[in-house]
Amino acid sequence: MNCKYSEKQKEKVLKSYQCGERVAKISEQTGIPKTTIYAWIRKFENAKPAHKKPVNMKMYRELERKLLHQQRIVEILHASPCVVNTPLDERIQTIDQMLSDKYNVNILCEALCVSKGTYYNRKLRGKGGNTLARKKREEIKPVIKEIYDQSNQIYGPGKVHAIMKDRGYTCSVNVVTSIMHENSWFSIRGGAKALYEQNKSRREDLVKQQFIVSRPNEVWVTDVTELQYREKRIFLCVIIDLYARKVVAYKYSYKNNTSLVKKTFTAAYIAREPNDHLIFHSDQGANYMSRTFRTYLLTKGVEQSFSRPGIPYDNSVCESFFSIFKQEEFYRRSYKTEVELKKGINDFMTFYNTKRPHTLLRYRTPDVYEAIYFNKQTENEAAENE
């Protein structure tokens, strides 16, 4: 039997739903079938423009739940002794240490990027890296390496597998292929060049948030920020030496392109003349990833390192510097002309290197901290020559 419900009843039901009441409970209280209530809800929500949908209590509580969940993940990452790219065994050990009434396995695994299946395999099923398959792989790995080297790195997985079979080793060609690819043991064949180029263009993070280094010109970090000046945009590229947090070069331009970052790097390279191995760390922007710029760095013997996409902490030194620059200079000034803006940038860079104490450097300036290093080097060389 079809029942007709008044508009007042519909409004009351929809209001209860917007206040966070469950449909099942509303149905139980009013006697209205759940299917009818769901139909009213669909009709009500479809009738409103998507961009004008009001935030009701149900949506608010869902957003609040998600916010609390993300806050707990941030708490875990702050309290954890490791990060998401730490070796798996260390992350699993951290999960064990942090398990409590406050943090359960689900949220700990999510925060540290460990699947629950992997965690339980390691902890409850004795698969802590000591499975028979893992042991067998470790046993045959040196054999594969020996055959590969004896062939002058010519043999591929098929030939290596055939030789191993003759020697009495039982394993599949897929296992041999997997081990060889894990260790970059590629044969010289038609596809070798493609694999070589692929390997060369890998976007590896060599810094891994380790921003303390042992000497100047060991790691340079770089980034580009946009400065809105009236109706114009100026892009500022900065290169910082991690040892003393010193700005070793900066350039500005109306375009954020390869030319800007190349000119900035060239200025730094000429000024610093790095002799030892240098790592150049940036995000994965098109300007830093361009073939022109990467080839240019290869000609200088510089190794490139890249932040992971969407993780600003991987390049936090530059992010922090730009924040300081904008708070202490850019946002505080009212530049009347573009000449004034560029003068402000130049003056701040000089001030930052020569006069501004840095907390990490025990309140020394970058110039002073770096000078102490070079003075010690000179004294050590003089002592060795005596």
Side-chain angles (χ1 to χ4, degrees):
M1 179 178 178
N2 294 329
C3 296
K4 291 187 177 181
Y5 300 99
S6 65
E7 289 298 322
K8 190 173 182 180
Q9 285 177 298
K10 290 182 183 180
E11 288 176 7
K12 186 177 180 181
V13 166
L14 291 171
K15 188 174 181 180
S16 297
Y17 175 75
Q18 287 180 307
C19 290
E21 216 48 89
R22 292 184 297 109
V23 171
K25 190 173 181 181
I26 297 172
S27 175
E28 183 182 340
Q29 291 174 345
T30 61
I32 300 173
K34 287 188 286 185
T35 53
T36 303
I37 296 174
Y38 280 122
W40 289 350
I41 292 169
R42 284 194 298 272
K43 186 176 180 181
F44 174 72
E45 292 185 344
N46 290 336
K48 297 179 295 182
H51 63 282
K52 292 185 179 179
K53 285 186 179 180
V55 177
N56 55 44
M57 285 302 297
K58 184 179 180 68
M59 293 169 62
Y60 174 80
R61 287 174 182 171
E62 179 64 18
L63 290 171
E64 185 179 43
R65 183 190 67 77
K66 289 180 179 179
L67 175 62
L68 290 173
H69 184 73
Q70 292 301 319
Q71 286 176 338
R72 292 182 70 199
I73 288 178
V74 171
E75 285 177 11
I76 291 169
L77 291 174
H78 277 297
S80 169
C82 62
V83 292
V84 294
N85 59 346
T86 301
L88 180 61
D89 289 338
E90 293 181 30
R91 282 181 281 156
I92 289 175
Q93 187 178 0
T94 299
I95 291 172
D96 288 336
Q97 293 170 352
M98 297 183 71
L99 269 175
S100 62
D101 294 336
K102 187 176 181 181
Y103 302 128
N104 58 30
V105 171
N106 293 343
I107 195 165
L108 287 168
C109 285
E110 182 181 350
L112 295 174
C113 293
V114 177
S115 71
K116 286 193 291 182
T118 300
Y119 174 78
Y120 285 121
N121 275 340
R122 293 293 185 99
K123 300 305 299 179
L124 304 180
R125 299 171 191 167
K127 294 187 178 180
N130 296 317
T131 60
L132 290 175
R134 171 60 61 183
K135 288 179 179 178
K136 187 172 182 179
R137 285 174 71 94
E138 292 301 320
E139 288 174 2
I140 64 175
K141 182 177 173 180
V143 180
I144 295 172
K145 180 69 166 62
E146 180 187 355
I147 298 171
Y148 176 69
D149 288 340
Q150 286 176 349
S151 73
N152 292 322
Q153 302 179 347
I154 294 174
Y155 292 165
K159 290 185 175 65
V160 172
H161 176 256
I163 294 172
M164 290 183 69
K165 191 174 180 182
D166 288 342
R167 293 185 183 182
Y169 290 95
T170 56
C171 63
S172 71
V173 69
N174 290 335
V175 171
V176 175
T177 302
S178 173
I179 293 172
M180 290 185 71
H181 281 210
E182 278 179 7
N183 295 276
S184 299
W185 298 336
F186 300 117
S187 67
I188 300 172
R189 61 184 189 277
K193 182 178 179 181
L195 288 169
Y196 169 76
E197 292 293 338
Q198 180 184 0
N199 187 52
K200 190 172 68 174
S201 64
R202 283 178 182 169
R203 306 174 184 183
E204 295 184 48
D205 181 4
L206 304 176
V207 177
K208 299 182 190 247
Q209 298 186 18
Q210 300 300 316
F211 300 122
I212 306 298
V213 296
S214 60
R215 60 173 174 81
N217 299 328
E218 182 177 345
V219 179
W220 292 352
V221 294
T222 182
D223 202 357
V224 178
T225 192
E226 179 184 319
L227 305 176
Q228 289 281 355
Y229 168 68
R230 301 199 176 181
E231 295 180 356
K232 296 179 180 179
R233 293 187 304 170
I234 291 181
F235 295 95
L236 174 63
C237 178
V238 167
I239 297 177
I240 298 173
D241 189 310
L242 278 186
Y243 179 76
R245 299 300 196 266
K246 180 175 179 176
V247 177
V248 295
Y250 65 95
K251 294 285 182 183
Y252 32 73
S253 171
Y254 293 117
K255 294 182 179 179
N256 181 16
N257 54 18
T258 301
S259 177
L260 173 61
V261 298
K262 186 177 178 182
K263 286 178 181 177
T264 311
F265 179 85
T266 302
Y269 196 84
I270 292 172
R272 305 284 287 183
E273 297 181 345
N275 296 321
D276 298 322
H277 178 253
L278 171 64
I279 294 174
F280 189 71
H281 183 75
S282 68
D283 59 24
Q284 294 190 28
N287 43 5
Y288 294 109
M289 286 297 302
S290 71
R291 178 175 294 183
T292 300
F293 185 67
R294 299 195 71 175
T295 304
Y296 175 69
L297 291 186
L298 285 174
T299 63
K300 299 292 184 182
V302 176
E303 190 170 10
Q304 249 182 310
S305 170
F306 296 98
S307 302
R308 293 164 295 172
I311 304 183
Y313 302 108
D314 287 351
N315 202 13
S316 59
V317 173
C318 274
E319 298 283 350
S320 175
F321 172 80
F322 282 137
S323 176
I324 291 168
F325 164 72
K326 290 177 180 179
Q327 290 173 11
E328 297 183 5
E329 170 64 30
F330 185 69
Y331 295 146
R332 295 181 60 226
R333 311 294 180 194
S334 179
Y335 308 104
K336 295 179 181 178
T337 64
E338 189 176 323
V339 173
E340 284 188 9
L341 170 59
K342 291 180 178 179
K343 184 178 183 301
I345 294 172
N346 297 336
D347 289 347
F348 181 82
M349 297 302 174
T350 302
F351 166 75
Y352 183 86
N353 281 340
T354 62
K355 295 181 180 179
R356 188 183 185 279
H358 200 295
T359 308
L360 184 70
L361 309 180
R362 298 178 185 176
Y363 295 100
R364 298 184 181 95
T365 65
D367 273 359
V368 169
Y369 193 79
E370 193 173 72
I372 292 171
Y373 174 87
F374 286 120
N375 289 339
K376 284 183 180 178
Q377 292 294 106
T378 304
E379 290 171 4
N380 291 339
E381 289 175 4
E384 289 176 2
N385 293 331
E386 289 179 357

